[in-house]
Amino acid sequence: MASTPLALFVGLPHPTLSDDEFALFRETNPLGLFVGRRNLREPGQVKILIERFREAVGREDAPVFTDQEGGRVQHLDAGPWPLFRSFGQFAELARHDLDLGRKALRLSSQAMGTMMTELGLTSGCSPVLDLVFETTSSVIGARSFGSDPDFIAALGREVVDGLLETGNMPVMKHIPGHGRATRDSHKERPVVDASRETLEATDFKPFVALKDTPWAMVAHVVYSAYDSELPASISPTMHDVIRKDMGYEGVLVSDCIFMESLRGTLPERVKQVLDAGSDIALHSHGDLAESEAAAKAARPLTEAAQKRIAAGQSRIGKLKVDVRAAHAEVEEMFKSVLVA
């Protein structure tokens, strides 16, 4: 097994780790695992899956991520786990009563963070800091807090801090902003033609305001004012914008490289992401052959990436809340202002 992990997250097709997958991960040592609904059945099974992956790579702290924002994007949505509200619903509550909305979102984030930490999950890849407009692709929708950058930043701060307090790693997405994209980057390559001045005054602002967030996920969106051809995730120019103009110093991970905004073979996509300047390529689907191909194309984490990861880890707290009691309290807050 390699001493330095590969700059790669892998995925799995099933709720268990096969012997062949275990052997591949032991040999190649990918940094982390990304799990989805297909992998998450009940708490005991999830814990065993995570422990087995960490045993394979030989690192007890190997990151295991999922998508757990609330609303329609929450992979822990089966019977054993409470269902959390969308960011759009929290934004509605906050527009009625900003202090109450922020309090509810902080408590909900602490509950969600506690729930994930207890399972062994490192991150739910949240919060979403994208703006939303009438023209925004429906892939964002209620995942967003709205169209006001300052309002988004204020609510996003509650999510970032609430997760960190409970030992769960926030990942702000989709930097530098998916909101002006009118097409779904899962299915095609979106192009945003807004000027640099407009982007800096709007879409970029929440990410700059929360640039102390330890991790950020890079959008598969073309910003033609900077790079007319390549999505941010594979554009060296856009990585310079994120690092230098926006001042982001944390870990950069790509959005999933299976998304159709990217082109080329799986190994080519891994290379494109890492060559552009992302610290890590995210490959979340993962049958055995795909994981092997991705691993062959990946490279070890850079020293800079390792330092960024360690810096984020140093900010992890140990707060635990009663998940169901906190969730119930949040629901009472919604009822108190008659927000459905």
Side-chain angles (χ1 to χ4, degrees), residues 162-233:
L163 292 173
L164 279 172
E165 288 165 346
T166 53
N168 202 254
M169 186 63 70
V171 179
M172 60 179 183
K173 60 189 185 188
H174 305 83
I175 199 170
H178 205 299
R180 292 185 188 276
T182 60
R183 300 180 184 276
D184 182 354
S185 55
H186 290 82
K187 301 175 182 178
E188 53 191 313
R189 178 170 289 184
V191 177
V192 168
D193 289 324
S195 69
R196 296 187 182 198
E197 293 75 17
T198 297
L199 291 169
E200 289 170 4
T202 55
D203 297 60
F204 292 4
K205 280 189 74 175
F207 297 97
V208 173
L210 298 183
K211 64 183 180 181
D212 62 329
T213 305
W215 287 60
M217 182 176 288
V218 189
H220 293 318
V221 176
V222 173
Y223 303 88
S224 62
Y226 296 92
D227 186 329
S228 61
E229 296 183 3
L230 298 178
S233 56

Side-chain angles (χ1 to χ4, degrees), residues 79-100:
W81 298 295
L83 295 177
F84 292 84
R85 288 179 178 263
S86 70
F87 291 149
Q89 289 176 301
F90 281 102
E92 184 181 353
L93 178 62
R95 281 189 283 269
H96 280 78
D97 184 329
L98 180 59
D99 288 340
L100 184 66

